[in-house]
Amino acid sequence: MDTALELFAEQGFDRTSIRQIAAKAGISLGLLYNYYPSKEDLLKEILVRGRQDILQSFEKPEGLSPYQYLEHHIRTTFRLMEQNKNFWRLYHSLRMQSEVLKALEREVQAENHLVLQLLSQNLAEAGSANPTIDAVLMFATIDGVAQHYLILPEYPLQEVIESYLIQLKNHLAT
Amino acid sequence: MDTALELFAEQGFDRTSIRQIAAKAGISLGLLYNYYPSKEDLLKEILVRGRQDILQSFEKPEGLSPYQYLEHHIRTTFRLMEQNKNFWRLYHSLRMQSEVLKALEREVQAENHLVLQLLSQNLAEAGSANPTIDAVLMFATIDGVAQHYLILPEYPLQEVIESYLIQLKNHLAT
Amino acid sequence: MDTALELFAEQGFDRTSIRQIAAKAGISLGLLYNYYPSKEDLLKEILVRGRQDILQSFEKPEGLSPYQYLEHHIRTTFRLMEQNKNFWRLYHSLRMQSEVLKALEREVQAENHLVLQLLSQNLAEAGSANPTIDAVLMFATIDGVAQHYLILPEYPLQEVIESYLIQLKNHLAT
Amino acid sequence: MDTALELFAEQGFDRTSIRQIAAKAGISLGLLYNYYPSKEDLLKEILVRGRQDILQSFEKPEGLSPYQYLEHHIRTTFRLMEQNKNFWRLYHSLRMQSEVLKALEREVQAENHLVLQLLSQNLAEAGSANPTIDAVLMFATIDGVAQHYLILPEYPLQEVIESYLIQLKNHLAT
DNA sequence: AATGAATGAGACTTCATTCAT
DNA sequence: TATGAATGAAGTCTCATTCAT
């Protein structure tokens, strides 16, 4: 499964053959099929497992101000992503092709909705004049930074995060 | 070529067969090969053609202040994207799979570099304290919004843009 | 037609496309088909034309002794072959594949029969103890030398011919 | 592999489809590709295997006179050829098309060189006045007889061989 | 007489999947 | 649990041939 994730992330789902996965994992084709009934199922399990991280980024430690919670969410998101880069690479590569991801469409939508709600609520509490749109924008910013970080070598992730947090704080203070 | 773009954007490059393209375009399989020597060449031509738009978003009308130029760039970028949604969907879907896009790697890198330069220079002139990182962040934000716009139905693009421009103006004013 | 012969000889009949022939001949595909109804027909006409040479090698000048006639035949055969190497290369490349040559099978057999008759008769007159088998052997020798000459660069054709004629004379003198 | 040889020999390499081979061999198309990575590889393996026989024809039993060794070589050559007619048919059909055989070009050249050396050396020892050219001629004769034998039905191979050996002995005695 | 765009059958090859062992 | 030989559908691409102009 880890091997599969690695190959899917590097080469893309369609360009990776089951045979390649089995070979790299050091097991036989047949054994792979004992574990996963099909290539799509394998993908699905990878996706399901990978997305469990997301829930973690929602956890709210006690005693945080709205802004602090937003900061916490952002930092957590990127920390988890750093630990699982290949998964996120795969996820982003599948995102545009509705068909492959369709199996998880509902979950993805639910999670997106949850993220937006979380963001907008905290933005509202933190004083945003237009929390809904601000949340949408914030989500997009996080996503955009994430994607650039995953694609580009030597991306100055930490600095970008810090810079963004400063902007955010200023924005909310206005 | 338009048909191919449409199908590639919807289903992904690998999941779209040459036969499908020919059928949808209403021509025969063989004729397609009269125009494009291979499937990869077809993709390449689509990409080359599509990316020509980018240059437009760099044009600088006379007499704009730095901030106005940034605003102009952002608005132009999204306007062009709205006119060519399928291309950008395709582009983003290929982005994570280095191999397919490798043919254009150099051009892409050059363009990215140019965008960053353009942004950072204008940010500097507009008063940003940290124009390099601000540019990286801005680029990511634009990209993130673009991607959400391309994926999600009924995305409030205009409102997000306006909101972002306001934030930007505030940030620069600080 | 000359272009086709050249390409067929170099690359083989099956590995040469009609398009290639038309391109190299500087005419259009359609025009080629105005002249020859199909690729096989083109081949057939090439073969028919090329084999007309053979008849020349049968001509018997007046006043030659049997040995002299054999010598004349051999020299004529190789002289004609030198003038038409590509044809003979093509011919030999098709020889093993019964299907392609089937159209001319009858003519080929007739000619072979004629050659053998000519050789055996003159060998008999020249004193051969076993003219039939000697003719078969002689035919094979001529063919073998021809083929090596056509394949190998810098083949010492003249010396081989002279050497063979000496052997032949000795053989008949025994 | 035997099936492929048979079909290649009968119809030619280019006119034989992989599907046909698989069907005749009673296996599936895919399985063929488990054994041989491509059609050309299949051909190559056939050629390599087939040409191993040649080495046998070089073996020199003890205590043979130069003439006897030549006789032995000729008889061995034809005996091996009778056991492997299809291979030799295939080989001769490919001979004129340099491209296909290019993979083995070096080996073929080396073998030809070896044969010529062997022949000329023994011819010299057996008293030939011009062993180099005699060897070239002898090689061509063997090849010519071989080819006629492979092409023509009911070829009187044994008688031709005997007749040739007699001529050879006479020639050397002169 | 001349063109070349158009066609579609068929070639080689890959690959997810099955199943006897 | 583990193997990998076996299958055949489907993919990309080539090519002889046709036909409107």
Side-chain angles (χ1 to χ4, degrees):
Chain A
M1 197 149 155
D2 287 328
T3 309
L5 171 54
E6 202 175 322
L7 289 169
F8 287 165
E10 273 172 29
Q11 310 178 340
F13 176 67
D14 289 305
R15 300 178 98 81
T16 302
S17 73
I18 288 281
R19 200 172 296 271
Q20 214 181 345
I21 299 169
K24 184 157 188 180
I27 62 173
S28 72
L29 258 179
L31 189 52
L32 199 62
Y33 273 88
N34 277 10
Y35 293 139
Y36 309 99
S38 79
K39 193 183 175 188
E40 295 249 347
D41 279 275
L42 172 53
L43 174 63
K44 206 160 147 184
E45 291 210 26
I46 288 175
L47 292 176
V48 167
R49 191 185 63 169
R51 290 191 67 79
Q52 287 170 349
D53 278 358
I54 293 177
L55 301 178
Q56 279 189 49
S57 69
F58 291 164
E59 287 168 12
K60 183 172 184 174
E62 295 295 320
L64 293 189
S65 71
Y67 168 78
Q68 283 173 327
Y69 183 26
L70 290 171
E71 177 178 346
H72 168 75
H73 172 74
I74 291 171
R75 292 194 191 280
T76 309
T77 298
F78 283 107
R79 187 164 37 74
L80 292 171
M81 202 171 58
E82 283 183 76
Q83 292 164 13
N84 212 354
K85 284 173 85 161
N86 275 335
F87 168 75
W88 288 103
R89 272 196 253 264
L90 170 60
Y91 175 68
H92 279 111
S93 80
L94 294 175
R95 214 187 195 178
M96 288 281 162
Q97 296 167 32
S98 44
E99 195 179 351
V100 187
L101 218 58
K102 214 159 226 166
L104 297 187
E105 212 177 11
R106 203 166 293 195
E107 287 92 327
V108 171
Q109 275 184 17
E111 282 157 7
N112 286 352
H113 190 68
L114 219 59
V115 172
L116 286 174
Q117 222 169 11
L118 177 155
L119 296 179
S120 72
Q121 187 182 331
N122 282 279
L123 282 165
E125 292 178 17
S128 161
N130 191 351
T132 308
I133 291 298
D134 273 5
V136 171
L137 175 59
M138 193 171 174
F139 191 15
T141 302
I142 294 172
D143 232 45
V145 171
Q147 210 161 144
H148 282 191
Y149 165 61
L150 292 168
I151 293 170
L152 304 172
E154 307 184 28
Y155 192 78
L157 180 60
Q158 286 316 318
E159 289 162 84
V160 172
I161 294 176
E162 302 310 329
S163 186
Y164 179 58
L165 289 173
I166 293 172
Q167 272 187 47
L168 178 62
K169 198 183 290 184
N170 284 342
H171 174 61
L172 293 174
T174 318
Chain B
M1 198 149 155
D2 288 328
T3 310
L5 171 53
E6 202 174 321
L7 289 169
F8 287 164
E10 272 172 29
Q11 310 177 341
F13 177 68
D14 289 306
R15 301 181 95 80
T16 303
S17 77
I18 287 281
R19 198 174 300 276
Q20 215 180 347
I21 299 169
K24 183 156 187 180
I27 63 174
S28 71
L29 231 168
L31 186 54
L32 205 61
Y33 278 90
N34 274 16
Y35 295 138
Y36 309 99
S38 77
K39 194 184 175 188
E40 294 247 349
D41 277 273
L42 173 53
L43 173 63
K44 207 163 148 183
E45 289 209 29
I46 288 175
L47 293 176
V48 168
R49 192 185 63 168
R51 291 190 68 79
Q52 286 171 349
D53 278 359
I54 294 177
L55 301 178
Q56 278 190 49
S57 69
F58 291 166
E59 286 169 13
K60 182 173 185 173
E62 295 293 319
L64 292 190
S65 71
Y67 167 78
Q68 283 173 326
Y69 183 25
L70 291 172
E71 178 178 345
H72 168 75
H73 172 74
I74 291 171
R75 291 196 191 278
T76 308
T77 298
F78 283 107
R79 186 164 36 76
L80 292 171
M81 204 170 59
E82 283 183 74
Q83 292 164 14
N84 212 354
K85 286 174 83 162
N86 276 336
F87 168 75
W88 289 104
R89 273 196 252 264
L90 170 59
Y91 176 68
H92 280 110
S93 80
L94 294 176
R95 215 186 195 178
M96 289 282 163
Q97 295 168 33
S98 45
E99 196 178 352
V100 187
L101 216 57
K102 214 158 227 167
L104 296 187
E105 211 177 13
R106 206 166 290 195
E107 286 91 327
V108 171
Q109 275 183 17
E111 282 157 8
N112 287 352
H113 190 68
L114 219 59
V115 171
L116 286 174
Q117 224 170 9
L118 180 155
L119 297 180
S120 74
Q121 187 182 331
N122 282 281
L123 282 165
E125 292 177 18
S128 161
N130 190 352
T132 307
I133 290 297
D134 273 5
V136 171
L137 174 60
M138 193 170 172
F139 191 15
T141 303
I142 295 173
D143 232 47
V145 172
Q147 210 161 145
H148 283 189
Y149 165 61
L150 291 167
I151 293 170
L152 304 172
E154 306 183 29
Y155 191 77
L157 180 60
Q158 287 314 319
E159 290 162 84
V160 173
I161 293 176
E162 301 310 329
S163 186
Y164 179 59
L165 288 173
I166 293 172
Q167 271 188 47
L168 178 61
K169 198 183 290 185
N170 284 342
H171 173 60
L172 292 174
T174 319
Chain C
M1 197 149 156
D2 288 328
T3 309
L5 171 53
E6 201 175 321
L7 290 170
F8 286 165
E10 273 172 29
Q11 310 177 340
F13 176 67
D14 289 304
R15 300 178 99 80
T16 302
S17 74
I18 288 281
R19 200 172 295 273
Q20 215 181 345
I21 298 169
K24 184 157 186 179
I27 62 172
S28 72
L29 257 179
L31 189 52
L32 200 63
Y33 272 90
N34 277 9
Y35 294 140
Y36 309 100
S38 79
K39 193 184 176 188
E40 295 249 346
D41 279 276
L42 173 53
L43 174 63
K44 207 161 147 186
E45 291 211 26
I46 287 176
L47 293 176
V48 168
R49 191 185 64 168
R51 291 190 67 80
Q52 287 170 350
D53 278 357
I54 294 178
L55 300 179
Q56 278 189 49
S57 69
F58 292 165
E59 287 169 13
K60 182 173 185 175
E62 294 295 319
L64 293 189
S65 70
Y67 167 77
Q68 283 172 326
Y69 183 27
L70 291 171
E71 178 177 344
H72 169 75
H73 173 73
I74 291 171
R75 291 196 192 277
T76 309
T77 298
F78 282 107
R79 186 164 37 75
L80 292 170
M81 202 171 60
E82 282 182 76
Q83 291 164 15
N84 212 354
K85 286 174 83 161
N86 275 336
F87 169 74
W88 289 103
R89 274 196 252 263
L90 170 60
Y91 176 67
H92 279 111
S93 80
L94 295 175
R95 214 187 195 176
M96 289 282 163
Q97 296 167 32
S98 45
E99 195 180 350
V100 187
L101 217 56
K102 214 158 227 166
L104 297 187
E105 212 176 11
R106 205 165 289 193
E107 288 91 326
V108 171
Q109 276 184 15
E111 281 157 9
N112 286 352
H113 191 66
L114 219 57
V115 172
L116 285 174
Q117 225 170 8
L118 180 155
L119 296 180
S120 72
Q121 188 182 329
N122 282 280
L123 282 166
E125 293 178 17
S128 163
N130 191 351
T132 308
I133 290 297
D134 273 4
V136 170
L137 175 58
M138 193 170 173
F139 192 15
T141 303
I142 294 172
D143 232 46
V145 171
Q147 210 162 145
H148 282 190
Y149 166 60
L150 292 167
I151 293 171
L152 303 172
E154 306 184 28
Y155 192 77
L157 180 60
Q158 287 313 318
E159 291 163 85
V160 172
I161 293 176
E162 302 309 328
S163 187
Y164 179 58
L165 289 173
I166 292 172
Q167 272 187 47
L168 178 61
K169 199 183 292 185
N170 284 342
H171 175 59
L172 293 173
T174 319
Chain D
M1 197 150 156
D2 288 328
T3 309
L5 172 53
E6 203 174 321
L7 289 169
F8 286 164
E10 273 172 29
Q11 311 178 340
F13 176 67
D14 289 306
R15 300 180 96 79
T16 302
S17 77
I18 287 281
R19 196 175 299 276
Q20 217 179 343
I21 299 169
K24 183 155 188 180
I27 63 174
S28 73
L29 234 168
L31 186 53
L32 205 61
Y33 277 88
N34 274 15
Y35 295 138
Y36 309 99
S38 77
K39 194 184 174 187
E40 295 248 347
D41 277 273
L42 173 53
L43 173 62
K44 206 162 148 184
E45 290 210 28
I46 288 175
L47 292 176
V48 168
R49 191 185 63 169
R51 290 190 69 79
Q52 286 171 347
D53 278 358
I54 293 178
L55 300 178
Q56 279 190 50
S57 69
F58 291 164
E59 286 169 13
K60 183 174 185 173
E62 295 292 320
L64 292 191
S65 70
Y67 167 78
Q68 283 173 327
Y69 183 26
L70 290 172
E71 178 179 343
H72 168 76
H73 173 74
I74 291 171
R75 290 195 191 280
T76 309
T77 298
F78 283 106
R79 185 164 37 74
L80 291 171
M81 204 171 58
E82 283 183 75
Q83 292 164 13
N84 213 353
K85 284 174 85 162
N86 275 336
F87 168 74
W88 288 104
R89 272 196 253 264
L90 170 60
Y91 176 67
H92 279 111
S93 80
L94 293 176
R95 217 187 194 178
M96 289 282 163
Q97 295 167 34
S98 45
E99 197 178 350
V100 187
L101 216 58
K102 213 156 227 167
L104 297 188
E105 211 177 12
R106 205 166 291 196
E107 286 91 327
V108 171
Q109 275 185 16
E111 283 157 8
N112 286 351
H113 189 68
L114 221 58
V115 172
L116 285 174
Q117 225 172 7
L118 179 155
L119 296 181
S120 73
Q121 188 182 329
N122 283 280
L123 282 165
E125 293 178 16
S128 162
N130 191 352
T132 307
I133 290 298
D134 273 5
V136 171
L137 176 59
M138 192 171 175
F139 191 15
T141 303
I142 295 172
D143 232 45
V145 171
Q147 211 163 142
H148 283 190
Y149 165 61
L150 292 168
I151 293 170
L152 303 171
E154 307 182 31
Y155 192 76
L157 181 60
Q158 286 314 320
E159 291 161 82
V160 172
I161 294 176
E162 301 309 329
S163 186
Y164 179 59
L165 288 173
I166 293 172
Q167 271 187 47
L168 178 62
K169 200 182 290 184
N170 285 342
H171 174 61
L172 293 174
T174 318

